[in-house]
Amino acid sequence: DGLAVAVDRTGAAYVAGQTRSVDFPLVRPLESTLGARPLWKSTDSGVTWTPLEDLPFAFLQTLVVDPSTPGTLYAATGDGGIFKSVDGGVTWKKASGGITATSVQALAIDPIHPQVLYSATAAGLNSGTIYKTVDGGNNWTIVDTAAGVAQQLAVDARSPSIVYAVWSNGVTRRTNDSGATWSPVP
């Protein structure tokens, strides 16, 4: 399963995924043994790939790249919250201050103000929370809660005060004011 992919402005590509199969048929596998690494990097348009080692997480859900600073990555994980790397994935630091959940399903970055990010966590199967940071992941505050789990987040590239959240209950919600208020999208 491909779970996350991101490309920075220098063309460095990052890909993450998983398989539960012990005999998954592979052609030119990147990882030929069980216990594969969850994140790989290519700096040559995908011709070669290198695993990123010693990660503080095992289950990567979403990966976003700071559009103005190549090499700055944010990882939303299912087992440790949010992490940030400022060196192209070599080292990672916890970046989820204020988020109580360790399972983060979605992450989106404001393309104009990259210190602003939105994340989505689940508080069980029937309720979820959207958080926002304005300082690159140091401090997060709740901006929305609703029935269901926010599975996808998207920041409007032309108007970053508009953010969309797609929830597991089939509802799409939108904010026009950077998360201050939310309403269903018909």
Side-chain angles (χ1 to χ4, degrees):
D1 296 334
L3 295 174
V5 64
V7 179
D8 71 22
R9 70 178 182 174
T10 67
Y14 304 84
V15 66
Q18 68 180 0
T19 181
R20 290 179 178 88
S21 173
V22 295
D23 63 352
F24 187 76
L26 298 173
V27 176
R28 295 180 23 209
L30 296 175
E31 180 72 35
S32 58
T33 62
L34 294 176
R37 293 161 189 94
L39 185 58
W40 293 74
K41 179 179 180 178
S42 174
T43 57
D44 58 8
S45 300
V47 175
T48 60
W49 292 89
T50 304
L52 297 176
E53 305 285 355
D54 301 320
L55 300 175
F57 50 83
F59 189 54
L60 185 61
Q61 297 280 68
T62 304
L63 187 67
V64 296
V65 176
D66 181 327
S68 64
T69 309
T72 298
L73 309 166
Y74 295 90
T77 72
D79 60 342
I82 298 173
F83 293 87
K84 180 179 182 178
S85 174
V86 295
D87 56 12
V90 176
T91 61
W92 294 87
K93 181 177 158 186
K94 190 92 164 165
S96 47
I99 298 177
T100 56
T102 57
S103 181
V104 181
Q105 283 81 312
L107 191 61
I109 191 166
D110 180 327
I112 297 173
H113 311 98
Q115 293 294 307
V116 176
L117 292 98
Y118 297 85
S119 68
T121 67
L125 296 175
N126 296 320
S127 65
T129 305
I130 296 177
Y131 291 84
K132 177 183 176 182
T133 181
V134 295
D135 60 8
N138 293 320
N139 301 288
W140 294 82
T141 57
I142 295 174
V143 293
D144 194 25
T145 58
V149 176
Q151 297 176 317
Q152 293 290 324
L153 296 169
V155 178
D156 188 315
R158 294 174 299 170
S159 181
S161 62
I162 299 174
V163 181
Y164 295 90
V166 178
W167 293 79
S168 61
N169 60 6
V171 174
T172 298
R173 292 170 59 86
R174 170 181 156 159
T175 179
N176 293 325
D177 52 17
S178 302
T181 61
W182 294 79
S183 58
V185 175

